[in-house]
């Protein structure tokens, strides 16, 4: 997968594209200097995030990928792609359904929100500071593992075992890790994954011990957003946010089916609660994310494959 990883460094602007670095049965369709990374299932191919290519080549790469999969008698879906990719996909005969929005921060200009709109965040941050919480960078592996162990012990839902698992120390050389401590004791960990294609960061894994003081994670994130170098940073996708605004009129036909699938993921991962939490920080912008299908009316096998890999 060397060529795909090279394309990832050049074109991986989607935060979720970082997960392509994790172990999984990835397959790669290559076209010119671009690529689509995907997972195979019976009669289906599940592409992960945007094609890794120049923006002007997205349509051509998508058409080539769809044709290659058609010859293998596989339907195609690409998960969590950008609006630009979705528009190119529509022109290439795909359908598109908006599944949510992603919070992005301009690191040069972002500051904690002021006034009434920032009071919840401000109270949390001040409370943590008064309680003696301090933020440091580069915690030891032992500290990170201890926070993970205590977090897992209190987890009340199944933890993902796939490439979507919580793994702050995997690919650690491509991450910056921040630790919240109180009296030298680690309370929370935030792992930020590098996105060299956009000189940015993906705030990927945030875990805390159950008894962490209120405000510890808010202070951890606020400090990381101030300290991180580069141009931008992004949080996790907020499912169903803004789905009333769709590019494709066929979305109303796919909506009920996909809403049920997203609801299942939300019960497992708590994305809606995460979205409310992320809103406290007042992102610079919310970027729409879509799932695209070809054939335009997806076969059941394609939907089942997407659900299988996302819930693994």
């Amino acid at each position: 997968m060397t060529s795909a990883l090279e394309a990832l460094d050049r074109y991986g602007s989607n935060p979720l594209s970082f997960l392509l670095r994790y172990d999984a049965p990835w397959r790669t369709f290559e076209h010119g200097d671009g690529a689509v990374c995907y997972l195979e299932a019976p009669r289906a191919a599940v592409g992960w995030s945007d094609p890794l290519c120049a923006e002007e080549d997205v349509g051509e790469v998508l058409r080539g990928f769809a044709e290659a999969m058609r010859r293998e008698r596989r339907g195609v879906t690409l998960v969590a792609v950008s609006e630009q990719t979705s528009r190119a996909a529509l022109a290439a005969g795909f359908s598109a359904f908006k599944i949510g929005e992603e919070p992005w921060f301009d690191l040069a200009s972002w500051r904690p929100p002021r006034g009434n709109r920032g009071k919840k965040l401000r109270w949390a941050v001040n409370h943590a500071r008064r309680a003696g919480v301090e933020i440091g960078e580069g915690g030891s592996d032992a500290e990170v593992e201890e926070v993970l162990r205590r977090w897992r012990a209190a987890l009340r839902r199944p933890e993902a075992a796939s490439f979507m698992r919580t793994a702050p120390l995997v690919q650690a050389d491509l991450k910056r890790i921040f630790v919240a401590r109180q009296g030298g004791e680690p309370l929370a960990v935030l792992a930020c994954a590098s996105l060299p294609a956009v000189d940015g960061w993906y705030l990927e894994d945030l875990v805390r011990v159950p008894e962490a003081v209120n405000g510890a994670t808010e202070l951890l994130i606020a400090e990381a957003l101030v300290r991180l170098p580069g141009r931008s940073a992004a949080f996790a996708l907020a499912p169903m946010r803004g789905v009333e605004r769709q590019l494709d009129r066929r979305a109303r036909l796919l909506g009920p089916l996909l809403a049920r699938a997203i609801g299942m993921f939300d019960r497992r991962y708590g994305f809606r609660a995460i979205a409310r939490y992320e809103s406290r920080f007042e992102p610079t912008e919310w970027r729409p994310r879509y799932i695209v299908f070809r054939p335009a009316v997806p076969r059941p096998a394609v939907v089942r494959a997407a659900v299988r890999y996302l819930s693994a």
Side-chain angles (χ1 to χ4, degrees):
M1 198 173 168
T2 302
S3 60
L5 292 178
E6 291 172 353
L8 179 59
D9 284 337
R10 290 195 301 274
Y11 302 120
S13 60
N14 187 323
L16 290 179
S17 66
F18 187 88
L19 304 188
L20 296 170
R21 300 183 185 276
Y22 294 160
D23 288 338
W26 298 114
R27 302 295 298 271
T28 305
F29 168 80
E30 297 183 5
H31 184 90
D33 70 343
V36 175
C37 297
Y38 66 100
L39 298 160
E40 281 187 349
R43 301 179 62 193
V46 181
W48 190 253
S49 76
D50 297 287
L52 301 174
C53 62
E55 187 174 327
E56 61 270 19
D57 295 333
V58 169
E60 182 180 348
V61 172
L62 284 175
R63 283 187 289 271
F65 178 55
E67 179 58 27
M69 294 303 101
R70 188 190 67 79
R71 290 194 294 270
E72 296 181 12
R73 298 185 178 180
R74 298 181 192 276
V76 170
T77 180
L78 272 71
V79 176
V81 300
S82 68
E83 183 167 322
Q84 292 88 340
T85 293
S86 298
R87 291 185 182 279
L90 286 171
F94 288 69
S95 59
F97 179 80
K98 184 178 180 181
I99 57 172
E101 295 178 341
E102 194 173 69
W104 280 77
F105 300 83
D106 181 338
L107 295 177
S109 62
W110 183 86
R111 295 294 180 272
R114 298 180 178 180
N116 189 61
R117 70 183 191 277
K119 63 183 180 182
K120 289 184 179 180
L121 177 60
R122 188 166 57 251
W123 180 92
V125 166
N126 290 339
H127 182 270
R129 283 183 173 140
R130 286 194 297 269
V133 176
E134 297 180 338
I135 307 302
E137 186 178 353
S140 69
D141 288 2
E143 282 185 311
V144 175
E145 291 288 1
E146 176 62 13
V147 172
L148 276 173
R149 183 191 67 78
R150 293 164 69 182
W151 171 75
R152 286 184 173 126
L155 201 60
R156 296 184 179 181
R157 56 173 171 80
E159 186 181 358
S162 68
F163 60 94
M164 294 183 68
R165 69 192 183 279
T166 301
L169 293 176
V170 176
Q171 299 284 340
D173 56 326
L174 298 175
K175 297 178 181 178
R176 294 184 69 160
I177 295 177
F178 296 87
V179 181
R181 300 181 182 88
Q182 185 182 35
E185 183 77 11
L187 301 179
V189 171
L190 173 64
C192 306
S194 175
L195 301 172
V198 290
D199 190 19
W201 300 89
Y202 173 31
L203 277 58
E204 182 186 9
D205 288 325
L206 174 65
V207 292
R208 51 166 280 176
V209 301
E211 62 274 20
V213 64
N214 288 338
T217 57
E218 286 89 343
L219 177 59
L220 180 59
I221 293 168
E223 284 290 319
L225 289 173
V226 171
R227 297 186 193 185
L228 283 170
R231 298 173 54 192
S232 59
F235 257 137
L237 175 73
M240 303 307 289
R241 189 182 195 277
V243 293
E244 68 279 1
R245 300 182 296 276
Q246 294 286 346
L247 291 176
D248 188 349
R249 59 180 176 79
R250 293 166 292 192
R252 68 181 184 275
L253 303 175
L254 298 172
L257 174 63
L258 293 174
R260 285 196 295 272
I262 291 169
M264 181 187 71
F265 299 135
D266 187 49
R267 287 190 294 274
R268 179 166 185 173
Y269 297 109
F271 286 138
R272 292 178 197 260
I274 292 170
R276 290 193 296 271
Y277 180 81
E278 292 168 346
S279 296
R280 293 185 183 184
F281 297 89
E282 287 207 355
T284 307
E285 62 176 315
W286 291 85
R287 297 185 183 178
R289 292 293 172 189
Y290 296 79
I291 185 167
V292 300
F293 297 99
R294 187 167 170 183
V297 177
R299 302 167 186 162
V302 178
V303 177
R304 284 197 299 269
V307 170
R308 170 193 165 195
Y309 282 115
L310 288 170
S311 58

